[in-house]
Amino acid sequence: MGNNSWEARADEYSLYGFTDLPSVHERGAVVVTHGEGPYVFDTKGRKYLDSNSGLWNMVAGFDHPGLIKAAQDQYARFPGYHAFFGRMSDQTVLLSEKLVEVSPFDRGRVFYTNSGSEANDTMVKILWFLHQAEGKPQKRKILTRQNAYHGVTAVSASMTGKPYNSVFGLPLPGFLHLSCPHYWRNGKPGETEEQFTARMAAELEATIIKEGADTIAGFFAEPVMGAGGVIPPSKGYFQAVAPILKKYGIPFIADEVICGFGRTGNTWGSQTYDFMPDAIISSKNITAGFFPMGAVILGPDLADRVQAASEAIEEFPHGFTASGHPVGCAIALKAIDVVMNEGLADNVVRLAPRLEAGLAEIAKNPNIGELRGVGYMWALEAVADRATKTPFASTLSVSERIANTCTDLGLICRPLGQSVVLCPPFILTEGQMDEMFEKLDKALKKVFAEVA
């Protein structure tokens, strides 16, 4: 890298987030300039098929004309406002109506943030506020799961069941992480998947009894753990845990930041796994990545209770300057229409079996221990020994090497632990899917030949 190259300038002035620093220092950052469909291009003119959809969110690709026009038209009409003091844009009102309409709830209320992290953080504050108002100030503990990802603010990072948050002195007190419902990795010898699910449910109830149901504010779960490595729940998991939460009066919050708006093959991941939450957290696909936005969608019971608590003190004292931004809302309205009515959601349903079959063929490689996923979100887990599920030594950085090799071949995928994650844009064609298969297979074979 020359001293004035894009890579050198990025390295000099940027603080990288969630980046393998030895790798980026050796190889340099990839500085992208523009995108076409599911492809992005860097400063050197190299073309990459982005099988990560940016960061799960660019589901309509990088140059969708309808989304660009929606942004341009709204910027020309009304470029910015807030949602404070009883004032909000017309686009904000329209989007709230649309989100409740497409939600699994028959009615509800919506609160806007700028990200999924802020939406989860906001939901926790809503629960604390609600329980305090209802005379139960001790109901503050939050239940999530190990390996779950809920965000990076101090509260949402405390919800995130990842060991890396220990470097920040997190989690905060009162954030409890139950076992990860990953049967392939965490099932005991001789334990059936149904028995594993029963064990997960028993752990939940035992935790509630131990901590005291009157101290627990809520339970948060992703329908499929995304940044945990695309981990679908074990069979019957949500049907086992939902009645327990209801029995003890604990609100059930579905974190649909990744799963929402089509990623699993249904509008909501909670529909895919057949459970009804009390509230939904949305972000990413809500604007197809064209604007930073998050939303808390409260179902009827929580909406009524929070409204009553707010009325009692004459306000809900929380918000962000750009909450319900009119441009973001206009883009979101168009993005929802694009996904649901322009064939993108249909494309996921139509091609998901082809995606699974192609990855299953690649997963025959003896160094792939598990292929897991649903819809348009999948992971391949690398192992040194398939029979014993023994991972490669962490010093080998196998998934990082696979991702880097894919990048060299013109394919962007994501390393997560020992896994490689693929979550392609919903516009992916069969030909582009074949391109992804070919480059991924080539990268896997190259890296495994070097380390196995």
Side-chain angles (χ1 to χ4, degrees):
M1 296 186 297
N3 290 335
N4 200 40
S5 68
W6 285 104
E7 296 89 345
R9 290 155 65 189
D11 208 37
E12 178 71 18
Y13 295 103
S14 300
L15 181 62
Y16 300 110
F18 288 111
T19 299
D20 184 75
L21 294 179
S23 179
V24 80
H25 291 328
E26 177 186 348
R27 296 168 52 86
V30 175
V31 181
V32 294
T33 58
H34 66 288
E36 296 175 5
Y39 296 94
V40 293
F41 298 78
D42 70 10
T43 52
K44 297 179 180 178
R46 294 177 298 195
K47 178 181 178 181
Y48 307 88
L49 176 60
D50 191 340
S51 67
N52 275 0
S53 303
L55 199 59
W56 308 90
N57 57 341
M58 304 297 296
V59 294
F62 296 93
D63 61 347
H64 190 282
L67 290 168
I68 292 169
K69 187 175 188 303
Q72 292 172 332
D73 288 351
Q74 187 59 36
Y75 270 120
R77 179 172 174 262
F78 192 35
Y81 209 64
H82 57 78
F84 283 43
F85 319 126
R87 295 191 292 276
M88 63 181 63
S89 79
D90 55 351
Q91 299 302 302
T92 311
V93 175
L94 290 171
L95 180 58
S96 295
E97 290 176 337
K98 175 59 68 173
L99 288 174
V100 173
E101 175 192 327
V102 302
S103 79
F105 309 128
D106 56 10
R107 60 184 180 85
R109 292 179 182 269
V110 181
F111 191 92
Y112 295 102
T113 67
N114 308 304
S115 67
S117 297
E118 291 174 356
N120 275 310
D121 194 301
T122 293
M123 188 67 233
V124 171
K125 285 185 70 179
I126 286 174
L127 292 171
W128 287 346
F129 169 69
L130 175 63
H131 298 316
Q132 179 93 9
E134 294 179 344
K136 300 175 182 177
Q138 76 281 5
K139 268 179 93 72
R140 295 185 62 84
K141 294 173 185 173
I142 300 296
L143 300 179
T144 61
R145 288 93 54 80
Q146 293 170 6
N147 219 23
Y149 182 90
H150 296 288
V152 295
T153 62
V155 164
S156 61
S158 294
M159 299 163 68
T160 294
K162 293 283 198 175
Y164 56 67
N165 280 318
S166 64
V167 302
F168 301 105
L170 298 172
L172 296 168
F175 289 83
L176 311 176
H177 302 143
L178 301 161
S179 295
C180 174
H182 186 186
Y183 173 63
W184 177 81
R185 176 55 71 189
N186 298 329
K188 295 179 179 179
E191 186 178 44
T192 67
E193 190 166 357
E194 290 80 4
Q195 289 169 335
F196 173 80
T197 293
R199 179 159 61 86
M200 295 297 99
E203 179 197 47
L204 169 63
E205 185 157 27
T207 301
I208 293 170
I209 292 170
K210 176 187 175 184
E211 299 293 331
D214 60 346
T215 71
I216 298 173
F219 171 86
F220 288 69
E222 304 160 88
V224 178
M225 289 185 177
V230 185
I231 302 172
S234 58
K235 189 181 302 181
Y237 174 81
F238 287 113
Q239 287 66 46
V241 301
I244 296 170
L245 296 168
K246 187 172 183 178
K247 173 182 175 181
Y248 291 99
I250 297 170
F252 185 176
I253 317 303
D255 181 343
E256 297 261 15
V257 167
I258 287 172
C259 296
F261 290 106
R263 178 63 68 182
T264 66
N266 288 290
T267 303
W268 305 105
S270 51
Q271 293 170 324
T272 298
Y273 292 99
D274 193 25
F275 68 93
M276 177 63 76
D278 295 298
I280 284 174
I281 307 300
S282 181
S283 188
K284 294 193 185 292
N285 295 357
I286 195 173
T287 61
F290 276 59
F291 197 90
M293 178 177 282
V296 175
I297 308 171
L298 298 176
D301 178 64
L302 286 180
D304 290 347
R305 291 163 64 191
V306 171
Q307 183 66 20
S310 300
E311 296 277 0
I313 61 169
E314 300 184 354
E315 68 174 355
F316 174 54
H318 177 76
F320 303 92
T321 301
S323 293
H325 194 287
V327 177
C329 290
I331 293 171
L333 284 162
K334 181 61 179 177
I336 293 169
D337 183 55
V338 166
V339 170
M340 299 184 72
N341 301 317
E342 290 189 8
L344 272 69
D346 294 338
N347 198 52
V348 173
V349 173
R350 181 174 67 89
L351 291 182
R354 191 178 193 276
L355 175 59
E356 181 178 4
L359 292 175
E361 190 64 29
I362 293 172
K364 292 178 181 177
N365 188 302
N367 289 114
I368 297 297
E370 183 186 33
L371 169 67
R372 57 180 181 265
V374 65
Y376 259 36
M377 55 189 304
W378 292 87
L380 295 153
E381 180 145 345
V383 290
D385 186 280
R386 179 186 281 177
T388 61
K389 305 179 184 178
T390 304
F392 284 98
S394 60
T395 53
L396 291 174
S397 301
V398 168
S399 64
E400 193 73 30
R401 292 170 75 158
I402 293 168
N404 287 338
T405 304
C406 283
T407 301
D408 293 339
L409 295 170
L411 175 69
I412 294 174
C413 60
R414 181 178 178 180
L416 270 173
Q418 295 274 340
S419 301
V420 176
V421 167
L422 301 127
C423 47
F426 297 175
I427 60 170
L428 203 70
T429 65
E430 293 185 22
Q432 291 160 349
M433 193 175 286
D434 289 340
E435 177 187 348
M436 181 179 72
F437 294 151
E438 178 185 352
K439 291 178 176 178
L440 175 63
D441 190 46
K442 187 174 181 180
L444 289 170
K445 288 174 178 175
K446 181 178 185 297
V447 172
F448 290 148
E450 294 169 352
V451 300

